[in-house]
Amino acid sequence: MRRIKTTAATLAGLGLALGACSDATDIDRLEISASGAVVGQAYLDLNGNGTAGAQDEPLAGVSVVLTAASGGVEIATAETDDEGVFLFEDVPVGRYTLAVGTDVLADSLVPVEAAEPFDVGLEEPVEIVLGATYPALTVEEVADAEPGRRVFTTGIALNPRPNFGDGRVFLRGASRYLQATNVDRSTPNVSVGDSVRFLGTTTREAGQPGLDAVTPYILIQQAQVPVPVEVSTVAAATADGGALDAALVVIRTAVVSDTMTVAGTNDFRFLADDGSGPADVVLRPFLGIPRPAEGDTVSAVGMLSPFDDGSGVVRWELLVRAPSELAIIPVP
C-alpha cells in the first residue's frame, strides 16, 4: 500500500479538521486505466457529536476493511498512517462498503455511523471519512456496567464542578443518578441544570457505580431546574436502600448532634435526625456555609455520596451545595 502524503488543504477537502498534518505534498494522483481508488481518514470522535472536528484525534495504525457491497466479501485491508489516512488503489470498478476493522472496535469502540455503500469509478479517488467512538450508555446503563469501560453518558448536572473542591459532579438520568469523579477542570465549567455529555471510565466507589476521569461536554446550558427529592434522615443515611445514590435530596426539621471538624480537611460534619434516625451532613469550609450547633434544628439540601464508615458498612453523607441550602433554627 502506498502511503498518503497530505497537507492541511487535502484534509480540509476530506471534510476533516483533526489538527496538525505533515509538511509533505498533495495526494499522489493515480493513473489507473481499469480501476479506481479509495482514500480517506479514520478519526476518533472524542466528544460524541458524530462529526470530525478539531477536538477529535486521528485513528493511527488501525485496520480499515474494504468489502464488496453485494455478498459482503472482504476485498482488501489497509492500515492508517500516523494521521489516520488510508489508501486503497487498483480497486475494480464496483460498489463497496468501508469500515474500521473489528479488531479495533471490539467492545471498546463503536462506529460513528453505519457504513453506507459507495461506488468506485474511473475518475477521481473516492474520499471517505470513517469515525469510531466510545459506546453511549444511559445513566441507568452506566450504573449497571462493569468497571473499566470508557463510555459516554448524558444527563442533567446537579452541582457545579468546583462545588465540593474535588472535581465531583453528580448527574441525573431518566430514573437514576450517577456520581462523576475527577471531572476535567480544563474544559468549560459545568453548572446546575446543564444538559451534559460525559466521557469517562466506569468505576465503583464504596460499592456504588460511578464515572471517573471525566471529560464534560455541555449540550444545553441550564436546560432544567433540578428539584430535590424530599427524604427522611434515615432514608438519606441509606440513600433509600441505594436507590437514591448520588441523588439531590432535602431533609427537613432535623435536630443536630455530634458536631465536629474533620482534621486535615476542615470539613464540618454533624448528625441530623428528624426522629427517623440520624444522617451525616457535611459542610465544605470554602463554601462559607454557617455551622449549626448541637441542639439546633436544620433543613438541608444536598447530594448523597457513599462512604465507608470505617467498619465496612457503607453509609451516605449529605453534601450541602451552598449557604442558601442550609436553614438553621437555633436552639432556644
Side-chain angles (χ1 to χ4, degrees), residues 43-77:
Y43 72 97
L44 179 60
D45 183 14
L46 288 176
N47 65 359
N49 69 354
T51 303
Q55 73 287 337
D56 297 320
E57 295 179 355
L59 273 174
V62 303
S63 62
V64 177
V65 181
L66 183 70
T67 303
S70 177
V73 177
E74 183 178 313
I75 303 300
T77 300

Side-chain angles (χ1 to χ4, degrees), residues 13-308:
L14 293 175
L16 300 172
L18 301 183
C21 303
S22 68
D23 296 326
T25 58
D26 203 355
I27 297 176
D28 296 336
R29 294 302 175 184
L30 304 173
E31 296 182 359
I32 305 171
S33 59
S35 58
V38 180
V39 62
Q41 188 177 36
Y43 72 97
L44 179 60
D45 183 14
L46 288 176
N47 65 359
N49 69 354
T51 303
Q55 73 287 337
D56 297 320
E57 295 179 355
L59 273 174
V62 303
S63 62
V64 177
V65 181
L66 183 70
T67 303
S70 177
V73 177
E74 183 178 313
I75 303 300
T77 300
E79 183 177 315
T80 62
D81 65 13
D82 290 343
E83 294 166 358
V85 177
F86 58 86
L87 170 66
F88 293 91
E89 49 188 338
D90 300 326
V91 179
V93 172
R95 193 164 179 79
Y96 299 91
T97 62
L98 200 63
V100 176
T102 55
D103 58 320
V104 179
L105 298 179
D107 185 49
S108 58
L109 295 176
V110 295
V112 166
E113 57 185 359
E116 295 291 338
F118 60 89
D119 294 314
V120 174
L122 301 179
E123 294 84 17
E124 292 294 310
V126 177
E127 297 175 349
I128 300 290
V129 178
L130 282 180
T133 192
Y134 297 99
L137 305 183
T138 65
V139 167
E140 291 73 23
E141 289 170 335
V142 171
D144 292 331
E146 68 276 13
R149 293 188 65 190
R150 195 75 174 155
V151 299
F152 286 108
T153 194
T154 302
I156 299 296
L158 299 176
N159 67 285
R161 184 182 58 213
N163 214 180
F164 303 121
D166 53 10
R168 274 191 281 182
V169 176
F170 294 78
L171 201 64
R172 191 196 71 204
S175 62
R176 295 184 70 172
Y177 304 86
L178 191 70
Q179 182 174 190
T181 54
N182 295 311
V183 177
D184 188 359
R185 287 174 168 80
S186 67
T187 56
N189 194 18
V190 175
S191 299
V192 176
D194 286 351
S195 173
V196 294
R197 180 187 296 121
F198 280 179
L199 172 62
T201 301
T202 56
T203 186
R204 293 269 166 177
E205 180 177 337
Q208 299 304 307
L211 206 61
D212 190 39
V214 171
T215 302
Y217 301 96
I218 299 174
L219 303 179
I220 303 173
Q221 291 183 323
Q222 298 180 335
Q224 295 182 18
V225 178
V227 178
V229 179
E230 186 161 344
V231 296
S232 65
T233 52
V234 72
T238 64
D240 194 19
L244 292 178
D245 173 54
L248 175 65
V249 302
V250 57
I251 58 173
R252 300 190 190 277
T253 325
V255 178
V256 174
S257 65
D258 295 333
T259 62
M260 65 176 294
T261 299
V262 180
T265 67
N266 286 325
D267 286 350
F268 185 75
R269 304 180 70 97
F270 61 90
L271 293 179
D273 193 341
D274 62 5
S276 63
D280 294 83
V281 181
V282 178
L283 309 180
R284 294 284 194 254
F286 56 83
L287 293 176
I289 303 172
R291 298 180 175 185
E294 291 192 23
D296 288 350
T297 299
V298 299
S299 293
V301 176
M303 312 307 310
L304 290 182
S305 181
F307 72 101
D308 189 321

